[in-house]
């Protein structure tokens, strides 16, 4: 099968350069999964839209400078072809916008000055295969039926991409685990339906806390997970304070793990670390009596 790559680029010289790099990737067998690469070209959004409808590509290389309205064009592209992974091509000054668009669904980005066979082939392979994985996760119902949030599988796909982005950019990234208090006692006293209602109300409250760029999921019977990037508007410390105070209003306990250069944990390890950071429940009167007797 040919790999169809749509190049959305308004500058003729840049378009020619990208064609040349793709041809070198094909000739050098950088992507053995696809024996041929078929470049598709568009210099405007209207041309790209016609290609979407007639010959959908496997991946898109999108110049973020296009018509100086890169973010808006990207969002129109996402709406028109949500099943196609997008790799952003940008100048270094556009990096903050690229991070925002990756949080909105772009797969990766490349700096124009660093584009070559190796980096581009690597980005194309990862984008296509990761997007297939995400599509498989969606097909496998990655939504939690009770709360409508991502389940653990959906969260891991999203969080793994975010972790890679944090490592690449040298940014701190936070995983928070949230747990409503006294779920076991509520289920014992009032039944599982009342416990499920408590979980749904907790999910709604967490939705009101997170921003559009944050990921939120129910990853277990009693645990929710959310992720936050360090950014120019709000540091992870400020986000932690804001989220902790808001969660306390609904008696939701939080634990946290922060990814940074000295703490390059996997997503699974960060989840476990954040769960371990949850406040431990105070022992009941019966437990206190048992401990006293044991002493």
């Amino acid at each position: 099968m040919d790999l169809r790559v749509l190049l959305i680029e308004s500058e003729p010289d840049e378009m020619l350069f990208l064609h040349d790099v793709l041809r070198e990737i094909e000739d050098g067998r950088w992507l053995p999964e696809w024996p041929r690469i078929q470049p598709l070209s568009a210099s405007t959004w209207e041309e790209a839209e016609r290609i979407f409808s007639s010959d959908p590509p496997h991946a898109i290389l999108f110049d973020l400078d296009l018509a100086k309205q890169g973010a808006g064009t990207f969002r129109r592209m996402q709406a028109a072809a949500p099943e196609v992974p997008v790799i952003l091509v940008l100048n270094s000054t556009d990096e903050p916008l690229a991070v925002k668009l990756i949080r909105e669904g772009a797969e990766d980005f490349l700096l124009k000055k660093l584009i070559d066979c190796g980096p581009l082939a690597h980005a194309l392979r990862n984008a296509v295969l990761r997007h297939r994985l995400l599509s498989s996760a969606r097909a496998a119902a990655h939504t939690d039926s009770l709360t409508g949030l991502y389940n653990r599988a959906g969260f891991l796909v999203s969080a793994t991409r975010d972790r890679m982005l944090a490592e690449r950019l040298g940014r701190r990234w936070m995983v928070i685990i949230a747990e409503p208090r006294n779920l076991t006692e509520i289920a014992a006293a009032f039944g599982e339906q009342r416990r499920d209602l408590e979980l749904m109300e907790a999910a709604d409250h967490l939705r009101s806390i997170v921003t559009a760029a944050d990921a939120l999921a129910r990853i277990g019977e009693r645990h929710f997970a959310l992720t936050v990037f360090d950014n120019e508007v709000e540091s992870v410390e400020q986000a932690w304070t804001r989220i902790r105070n808001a969660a306390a209003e609904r008696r939701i306990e939080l634990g946290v793990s922060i990814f940074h250069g000295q703490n390059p944990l996997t997503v699974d390890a960060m989840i476990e670390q954040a769960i371990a950071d949850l406040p431990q429940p105070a022992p009941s009167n019966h437990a206190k009596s048992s401990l006293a007797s044991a002493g």
Side-chain angles (χ1 to χ4, degrees):
M1 180 186 297
D2 293 351
L3 178 66
R4 294 189 304 280
V5 181
L6 173 60
L7 310 175
I8 306 179
E9 171 60 65
S10 58
E11 295 295 329
D13 290 344
E14 297 287 347
M15 179 73 80
L16 181 60
F17 170 71
L18 291 173
H19 273 266
D20 288 342
V21 177
L22 288 176
R23 190 59 55 216
E24 289 182 28
I25 290 173
E26 178 182 298
D27 292 343
R29 302 289 294 159
W30 287 83
L31 293 172
E33 304 95 326
W34 298 280
R36 294 182 55 203
I37 299 176
Q38 180 185 352
L40 308 169
S41 303
S43 60
T44 66
W45 162 248
E46 290 73 21
E47 290 179 7
E49 197 169 25
R50 285 195 293 271
I51 292 173
F52 291 153
S53 60
S54 62
D55 192 16
H58 295 107
I60 296 170
L61 282 179
F62 172 56
D63 185 348
L64 205 52
D65 282 339
L66 184 67
K68 303 301 180 184
Q69 296 178 345
T73 303
F74 169 78
R75 293 178 183 119
R76 292 168 68 188
M77 186 164 48
Q78 283 285 86
E83 71 284 357
V84 183
V86 178
I87 300 169
L88 306 173
V89 178
L90 63 144
N91 296 309
S92 58
T93 54
D94 295 324
E95 191 172 285
L97 177 58
V99 172
K100 177 177 176 59
L101 295 184
I102 284 179
R103 297 288 286 169
E104 293 184 17
E107 287 293 329
D108 203 348
F109 72 84
L110 293 171
L111 296 178
K112 289 182 180 180
K113 63 182 180 181
L114 298 180
I115 289 180
D116 203 350
C117 293
L120 181 53
H122 179 76
L124 284 169
R125 176 185 290 109
N126 282 354
V128 173
L129 297 182
R130 190 163 56 227
H131 211 74
R132 286 179 181 174
L133 178 62
L134 182 58
S135 297
S136 297
R138 287 173 177 156
H142 64 283
T143 302
D144 175 56
S145 59
L146 179 66
T147 63
L149 300 173
Y150 276 130
N151 60 19
R152 187 181 182 100
F155 177 78
L156 288 175
V157 171
S158 174
T160 298
R161 183 186 64 189
D162 284 354
R163 183 202 175 278
M164 291 173 60
L165 183 61
E167 184 172 31
R168 179 175 175 181
L169 298 177
R171 289 200 179 188
R172 294 182 301 168
W173 175 68
M174 179 167 58
V175 172
I176 297 175
I177 298 298
E179 179 181 12
R181 295 180 196 168
N182 304 324
L183 286 176
T184 301
E185 291 79 359
I186 290 171
F190 305 107
E192 292 186 359
Q193 287 186 338
R194 181 66 186 84
R195 180 204 59 195
D196 289 349
L197 179 60
E198 189 74 16
L199 286 166
M200 289 189 287
E201 290 176 350
D204 288 340
H205 188 64
L206 290 171
R207 282 191 184 96
S208 71
I209 294 172
V210 301
T211 70
D214 302 332
L216 175 62
R218 183 187 177 206
I219 63 169
E221 183 176 348
R222 58 196 302 119
H223 291 143
F224 297 89
L226 56 126
T227 64
V228 180
F229 266 102
D230 205 17
N231 59 66
E232 297 81 4
V233 177
E234 185 179 50
S235 68
V236 291
E237 290 86 1
Q238 291 170 325
W240 166 251
T241 299
R242 171 179 59 81
I243 293 169
R244 182 185 57 194
N245 291 341
E249 297 173 7
R250 278 286 310 169
R251 296 174 55 82
I252 298 174
E253 304 282 11
L254 301 180
V256 65
S257 177
I258 299 177
F259 174 92
H260 52 82
Q262 287 71 48
N263 190 45
L265 297 177
T266 65
V267 173
D268 284 320
M270 292 182 70
I271 290 173
E272 293 306 315
Q273 188 177 76
I275 289 175
D277 189 54
L278 285 165
Q280 298 301 308
S284 64
N285 290 334
H286 174 73
K288 289 178 181 177
S289 299
S290 299
L291 290 170
S293 299

